[in-house]
Amino acid sequence: MSAAFEEAGGPAARRRFATLGRSVALFRAFLVEQTDPDHFYGLLAEDSVRQVAGYTPLAGRTVLDVGGGPGYFAAAFRAAGAHYVGLDPDVGDFSAAGDSVAGMLRGSGTALPVRSGAVDVAFSSNVLEHVSEPARMLDEMVRVTRPGGVLFVSFTPWFSPWGGHETAPWHYLGGDRARRRYQRRNGRPPKNRFRETLFPTSIADTLRWARGNADVEVLDALPRYHPWWGRWVIRLPGIREVAAWNFLLVLRRVGTRPAGAAEKTELTGGSRC
């Protein structure tokens, strides 16, 4: 790992952050996600920004949030001094947290409307499992990140306890069956519909993609919400798909920035730091 990443926080600082108390607070907040989304997503956004800051400085950096949705992450990243740009298929979702849609983009995660090498941080929280071609979205995130920049991607593996989202834990008996059961019991289809808006994404496939991509190096792979001493589960194929609950992959874009490249991004018009 480079000196720049050590200065950003380093393993010791990240270990101090990933405490059992922090994990308990996140899981408690998760229990009220439906009834008190402001509490859950506000806490998650602050936690995520703190996690990202453990790998790279954020002040003055351009952050692209792929699948930003409501503006909770916008407020947290901007409070950290970042130039935040959110992208979502439905820009109307950005207003759910009372945030302005200014500076937001409408587009697909698998065809990002952003020039190559334009951002310092490509961030995505719990979106990859909702994309039919996750490798294509990851490729796009790599493309738009400058050499030396960071990619921070998390998702819920299909075989985790929450893999079926609101249809869990019945997804263990099959996604179609879980969907039909939900509709019978609630009189409406689930928001996260198997193989329409929710896809069986795995840790194994994502790690295989990362290790086979010459444009990135893996900085970290860990269970996102676990305390630091629980990260060992990622080393256990099969078990990690269930025990990780939510998987986090942190990557660094490798390569050399082209000589004479513009110092301003097309996203913000601001200078790079």
Side-chain angles (χ1 to χ4, degrees), residues 112-189:
L112 297 175
V114 178
R115 69 176 174 83
S116 300
V119 305
D120 300 293
V121 178
F123 173 88
S124 181
S125 174
N126 297 320
V127 173
L128 201 65
E129 70 267 35
H130 301 291
V131 177
S132 61
E133 298 177 278
R136 186 174 174 184
M137 175 175 145
L138 292 169
D139 286 338
E140 278 290 275
M141 291 180 68
V142 173
R143 179 184 65 78
V144 302
T145 304
R146 67 169 179 82
V150 171
L151 292 86
F152 184 103
V153 183
S154 78
F155 67 91
T156 305
W158 175 247
F159 287 111
S160 87
W162 191 241
H165 289 43
E166 68 268 45
T167 68
W170 304 100
H171 67 293
Y172 285 124
L173 301 179
D176 290 324
R177 179 179 293 183
R179 174 180 175 174
R180 291 193 299 268
R181 180 184 182 278
Y182 182 95
Q183 185 156 353
R184 286 197 307 270
R185 293 178 66 88
N186 295 278
R188 66 181 188 280

Side-chain angles (χ1 to χ4, degrees), residues 75-111:
F77 274 110
R78 287 169 180 162
H83 302 300
Y84 174 92
V85 180
L87 179 140
D88 201 272
D90 184 1
V91 174
D93 284 349
F94 290 121
S95 62
D99 198 70
S100 170
V101 297
M104 305 300 185
L105 298 176
R106 181 177 181 180
S108 168
T110 57

